[in-house]
Amino acid sequence: MAQTRTRRRKGERLWLRYVVLAAWAAFCLAPILWFLSIGLRPRTEIIAPQPIYLPTFSLAAWEMIWRDWPMAHYLRNSLVAIAGSVLIDLALAIPAAYSLARYDYRGREDIGFYILSTRMMAPAIVAIPIFFLFRNLGLLDTVWALMLAYAAINLSLVTCGPGQDHDDAHDRRAGGADRRRDRHRRRGGQRR
Amino acid sequence: MFASVFIITQGTPGGATETISYFIYRIGFRTFNFGYASAASVAMLAITVLVAQLFVKRFFRSGRA
């Protein structure tokens, strides 16, 4: 924050930032807008050899996905899997994150880093064990398998994600005595 | 590095755009050679741990891990 303020006081041009950010936003949005424009034109104009700058408007493709595919069912699957995995993660991560942030015990940093490090692993490494696990549990081809897999993969981020140093976040809110005690605690934790 | 490969090229042409993740998926769930795919998984885990270990040693000097 302080750094930003000094830089701005030195007279760095704010508009340049906006131009760069706007250009980057346009770059990121372009493929999405392109797909939207493809989705809203009739089939013959998608595969036309020459570019068509003023395509005719058509909702045929949108009609088709709702008519020929069980889109509502797919959306419900996603909602169930995501909502369930969030609930599982919160139930597991809230106590874990609280204990990592507020208490000092042997191996606290190591346990926290271990939880975070599961994120560094490529999910493909555990794909085969997970497949056999779900097969033995009879969960293949169910939304529950998806829910559990999401919960397992995202647990590290839910536990360690928001605010890398929980001590500091707490320090800013807490009063003086609390802050001093916490700092003392943190030093003790690092010395070990 | 799995989703982009899976969506765009599926490792083609001739494995030119194939990553280890996609290789594991192809061997395991396309040709059902689970032993081979498991071995590849363990090898990839070993590589990941090695690289992560070097990275952590280098960048987290405050006694973490």
Side-chain angles (χ1 to χ4, degrees), chain B residues 4-52:
Chain B
S4 336
V5 175
F6 183 70
I7 293 167
I8 300 170
T9 64
Q10 310 220 327
T12 54
T17 60
E18 191 166 60
T19 60
I20 308 181
S21 290
Y22 190 79
F23 175 77
I24 292 168
Y25 164 78
R26 186 168 62 84
I27 297 297
F29 295 105
R30 284 280 160 263
T31 62
F32 299 106
N33 195 341
F34 286 113
Y36 189 13
S38 302
S41 300
V42 175
M44 188 184 178
L45 181 64
I47 296 167
T48 311
V49 167
L50 197 75
V51 174

Side-chain angles (χ1 to χ4, degrees), chain A residues 109-110 113 120-122 124-125 127-128 131-132 164, chain B residues 21 24 29 34 37-38 41 44-45 48 56 64-65:
Chain A
E109 301 246 323
D110 290 338
F113 191 80
M120 299 174 186
M121 182 184 62
I125 290 173
I128 289 162
F131 174 75
F132 282 107
Q164 282 183 325
Chain B
S21 290
I24 292 168
F29 295 105
F34 286 113
S38 302
S41 300
M44 188 184 178
L45 181 64
T48 311
V56 167
R64 263 180 160 186

Side-chain angles (χ1 to χ4, degrees), chain A:
Chain A
M1 268 315 264
Q3 212 183 354
T4 321
R5 234 175 279 134
T6 33
R7 244 193 270 147
R8 205 170 286 169
R9 217 182 292 134
K10 273 177 195 163
E12 199 201 47
R13 286 166 199 150
L14 200 58
W15 62 265
L16 190 69
R17 265 189 231 183
Y18 282 117
V19 167
V20 170
L21 285 175
W24 180 247
F27 180 74
C28 292
L29 274 175
I32 297 168
L33 292 176
W34 192 6
F35 271 22
L36 186 68
S37 107
I38 288 176
L40 287 174
R41 58 178 81 177
R43 203 187 181 119
T44 46
E45 292 189 16
I46 296 170
I47 53 170
Q50 297 91 18
I52 297 169
Y53 295 107
L54 290 170
T56 39
F57 182 78
S58 150
L59 282 173
W62 295 75
E63 233 175 86
M64 201 172 76
I65 55 169
W66 287 98
R67 197 184 55 228
D68 298 350
W69 300 90
M71 268 297 157
H73 183 69
Y74 293 164
L75 285 175
R76 210 203 60 192
N77 276 350
S78 294
L79 274 179
V80 170
I82 291 164
S85 75
V86 167
L87 288 178
I88 294 170
D89 275 351
L90 286 179
L92 292 171
I94 287 173
Y98 187 83
S99 99
L100 286 173
R102 291 308 306 269
Y103 298 108
D104 192 21
Y105 43 85
R106 221 178 131 77
R108 185 190 69 133
E109 301 246 323
D110 290 338
I111 291 170
F113 191 80
Y114 169 71
I115 295 173
L116 189 64
S117 72
T118 58
R119 190 76 198 178
M120 299 174 186
M121 182 184 62
I125 290 173
V126 287
I128 289 162
I130 281 181
F131 174 75
F132 282 107
L133 198 65
F134 285 160
R135 197 187 60 176
N136 293 342
L137 290 168
L139 286 176
L140 285 188
D141 294 330
T142 63
V143 73
W144 309 106
L146 204 56
M147 184 191 292
L148 286 172
Y150 281 152
I153 287 171
N154 289 330
L155 183 63
S156 54
L157 280 186
V158 181
T159 309
C160 304
Q164 282 183 325
D165 200 333
H166 299 271
D167 281 343
D168 282 346
H170 172 72
D171 266 358
R172 279 195 295 277
R173 282 193 303 272
D178 219 8
R179 191 183 302 150
R180 239 170 285 129
R181 200 185 60 218
D182 269 16
R183 198 169 290 149
H184 177 72
R185 229 191 243 158
R186 198 177 344 145
R187 283 212 202 93
Q190 281 182 350
R191 220 179 291 133
R192 209 175 291 137

